Amino acid sequence: MSLIVMKFGGTSVADIKKINNVANLVANESINNKLIVVLSAMAGVTNQMQKYIDEIESKENIENDLLLTSGENITIAILSAILKKKKIKSIPLLGWQIPIITDDYHQKAKILNIDNNRIKQFFSNYDVIVLAGFQGINTKGYITSLGRGGSDTTAVAIASAVSADRCDIYTDVEGVYSADPNIVPQAKKISKLAFEEMLEMSSSGAKVLHTRSVELAMKNNLVLQVLSSIVNKPGTLILDEKKLIEKEIVSGVSYSKNESKITISGIPDKPGISAKIFGLLAAKNINVDMIVQNISQDGITANITFTVQNDEIFAAKKLLQNSLNTIGYQSLKTDKNVSKISVIGMGMMSQSGVAQKMFKTLANNSINILAISTSEIKISVLIDEKYTNIAVQSLHNAYNLEKNNE
Ligand code: ADP
Ligand code: ASP
Ligand code: MG
């Protein structure tokens, strides 16, 4: 008998009919296996909770996380009740009942520990544990949430803790595609992807998997499968790169509209200034992504452009405005209407001309590049947000991704 983790996202549990469909998939797997079924909230419910928080302008971490995680309480209760009707020995559990212990960073808590012994005890009485994703409990005893999309991370963390034989992430698409299939209809399902590629795809905007879930799977060498909860077909396997024999130069294109640009102009061009600016931001836990620096025309001052996530732009701007005297700059401009486009592929490590093709394709579409950043297996550019779709579609085309993955 194997131990399998099955995770279902918001669209897969959006209503009773869909939860009944999940119950059938679970019932089928439970014939020969012990299961941990991780659920998200019904699609839209967590957004609604966030709206309530915004409406009352709540800054209360304990209350906010209680609200944000409440949708998962509903879905696990419904699924477990349906499973019991099918005579399956099931138990619905919240994060704290395992417990899934996290740190104190409400809204972006990290899992510190999962008690495997408690899980074993539950399995002596039950065959299926239906677990609320996205939530944990901190050492002070309060409910925390893992960041939006975090139930993937719950699934991977629990699968690692129990050394599960499989970890299957069921969603509303058939797997990981060469680009978001909602933007590029010709995008192709990728049958196998290296952890590193998936990590770059997720962190550059492909929300099909929560970035931290991929990090954790890679660390624990846990093979993941992303597959459809509607269509019964093999999905995408995410695994150790060494197991992939042949790799395409570029595997996928992703985009993120969750970027904001800050330009500080007229900064004294002397050593230590960048350290000062980015030190101030780091001290406030504000993550900086892309950075471009250039000398201004007078040769005495410099300009720095960088990006932060949309929800941190307000704090970053305020901090820099308050530090005008310490840094000494002439002007500060911010722009939320930018988008980051990335091309990703393991094969890039051994190929030249990948970046050139990206820049040429964008130029052919009259799209201006505002910033560039690269890693061994990724090239990202910042562009005006209004060109997002055309950029993703034309790059998908330029790298022949429709054909490559056929
Ligand atoms: P769930 O509710 O199951 O967690 P998500 O909405 O978080 O699902 O993730 C699935 C969505 O991710 C898809 O509907 C798709 O629009 C989006 N997506 C973005 N990039 C990709 C990609 N490269 N491959 C597949 N899906 C992608
Ligand atoms: N329900 C949570 C969210 O919408 C967690 C998840 O879907 O993974 O962010
Ligand atoms: Mg998700």
Side-chain angles (χ1 to χ4, degrees):
M1 185 164 268
S2 300
L3 175 48
I4 298 173
V5 172
M6 304 169 84
K7 179 259 163 177
F8 294 90
T11 37
S12 305
V13 293
D15 53 39
I16 299 292
K17 192 166 164 231
K18 290 192 167 141
I19 301 181
N20 265 312
N21 170 52
V22 168
N24 291 336
L25 293 172
V26 170
N28 212 13
E29 287 283 14
S30 75
I31 299 170
N32 294 315
N33 306 297
K34 291 270 189 193
L35 303 178
I36 301 177
V37 180
V38 177
L39 295 188
S40 179
M42 289 176 175
V45 170
T46 317
N47 287 348
Q48 183 56 52
M49 297 303 131
Q50 184 61 55
K51 277 195 195 133
Y52 292 145
I53 291 168
D54 295 343
E55 218 174 306
I56 61 170
E57 294 179 8
S58 167
K59 300 263 179 294
E60 300 302 329
N61 279 328
I62 293 172
E63 287 78 356
N64 290 356
D65 267 349
L66 195 58
L67 269 170
L68 282 173
T69 57
S70 60
E72 275 72 6
N73 303 7
I74 300 170
T75 48
I76 62 164
I78 296 174
L79 178 66
S80 187
I82 297 174
L83 292 174
K84 280 182 178 154
K85 273 185 94 175
K86 292 179 182 291
K87 305 274 178 277
I88 292 169
K89 284 202 239 159
S90 148
I91 184 79
L93 295 174
L94 296 171
W96 67 266
Q97 289 172 296
I98 297 278
I100 294 178
I101 308 277
T102 74
D103 64 20
D104 287 342
Y105 289 95
H106 284 272
Q107 272 104 83
K108 47 181 170 186
K110 287 215 166 77
I111 297 175
L112 299 177
N113 187 46
I114 294 179
D115 188 351
N116 194 3
N117 288 324
R118 285 279 289 160
I119 297 168
K120 279 188 193 145
Q121 280 170 22
F122 281 114
F123 274 134
S124 55
N125 294 315
Y126 301 97
D127 294 329
V128 179
I129 292 174
V130 184
L131 175 64
F134 179 56
Q135 53 175 257
I137 184 167
N138 64 17
T139 46
K140 295 175 189 142
Y142 297 111
I143 306 294
T144 51
S145 66
L146 308 183
R148 296 304 305 272
S151 48
D152 298 326
T153 298
T154 307
V156 173
I158 202 107
S160 305
V162 300
S163 304
D165 297 284
R166 257 171 43 209
C167 182
D168 292 337
I169 311 283
Y170 289 84
T171 184
D172 60 349
V173 286
E174 287 178 28
V176 181
Y177 282 65
S178 49
D180 186 342
N182 290 322
I183 288 215
V184 184
Q186 312 91 304
K188 284 278 142 69
K189 182 166 73 186
I190 303 169
S191 56
K192 284 178 183 171
L193 261 179
F195 285 126
E196 288 87 347
E197 287 173 303
M198 191 65 233
L199 194 55
E200 293 282 19
M201 283 181 89
S202 293
S203 62
S204 56
K207 71 164 185 163
V208 61
L209 281 178
H210 196 225
T211 307
R212 287 219 318 278
S213 72
V214 188
E215 264 167 20
L216 206 56
M218 181 158 104
K219 191 167 140 218
N220 297 313
N221 202 6
L222 175 80
V223 177
L224 301 181
Q225 181 177 200
V226 177
L227 70 171
S228 165
S229 61
I230 303 146
V231 188
N232 182 14
K233 277 190 192 166
T236 300
L237 287 176
I238 296 145
L239 70 182
D240 191 352
E241 174 244 330
K242 289 179 269 308
K243 290 182 189 149
L244 297 179
I245 303 158
E246 242 180 67
K247 271 315 291 173
E248 301 302 341
I249 298 168
V250 169
S251 308
V253 183
S254 49
Y255 68 94
S256 169
K257 294 183 179 174
N258 189 17
E259 302 268 327
S260 291
K261 178 171 73 111
I262 302 182
T263 303
I264 314 177
S265 311
I267 313 163
D269 185 25
K270 57 181 189 203
I273 287 286
S274 299
K276 198 180 272 173
I277 293 172
F278 296 114
L280 283 165
L281 294 162
K284 291 281 178 221
N285 238 333
I286 298 172
N287 264 327
V288 172
D289 183 11
M290 306 171 109
I291 304 174
V292 182
Q293 178 171 1
N294 41 36
I295 305 292
S296 65
Q297 278 171 343
D298 60 16
I300 305 163
T301 58
N303 303 335
I304 291 186
T305 296
F306 57 91
T307 61
V308 297
Q309 302 244 303
N310 282 344
D311 61 354
E312 296 191 316
I313 183 75
F314 184 71
K317 189 175 173 185
K318 214 163 168 198
L319 181 68
L320 293 167
Q321 280 170 338
N322 291 341
S323 313
L324 173 64
N325 292 335
T326 8
I327 306 169
Y329 58 82
Q330 280 157 13
S331 70
L332 177 78
K333 268 197 233 145
T334 59
D335 185 358
K336 270 189 143 187
N337 300 317
V338 290
S339 167
K340 183 173 75 170
I341 313 290
S342 308
V343 297
I344 294 135
M346 292 295 284
M348 249 184 231
M349 282 195 275
S350 53
Q351 285 285 333
S352 55
V354 184
Q356 195 267 345
K357 187 179 262 188
M358 182 177 201
F359 304 153
K360 196 164 165 234
T361 307
L362 296 171
N364 288 346
N365 287 284
S366 307
I367 301 172
N368 201 16
I369 297 173
L370 309 171
I372 302 169
S373 73
T374 61
S375 79
E376 261 195 323
I377 61 163
K378 182 186 76 174
I379 306 162
S380 301
V381 296
L382 195 71
I383 61 167
D384 190 326
E385 190 180 307
K386 67 174 182 257
Y387 297 120
T388 307
N389 289 14
I390 176 81
V392 174
Q393 282 155 0
S394 56
L395 289 168
H396 193 271
N397 208 13
Y399 291 105
N400 259 327
L401 297 185
E402 188 180 341
K403 260 205 209 103
N404 282 351
N405 290 295
E406 258 170 7

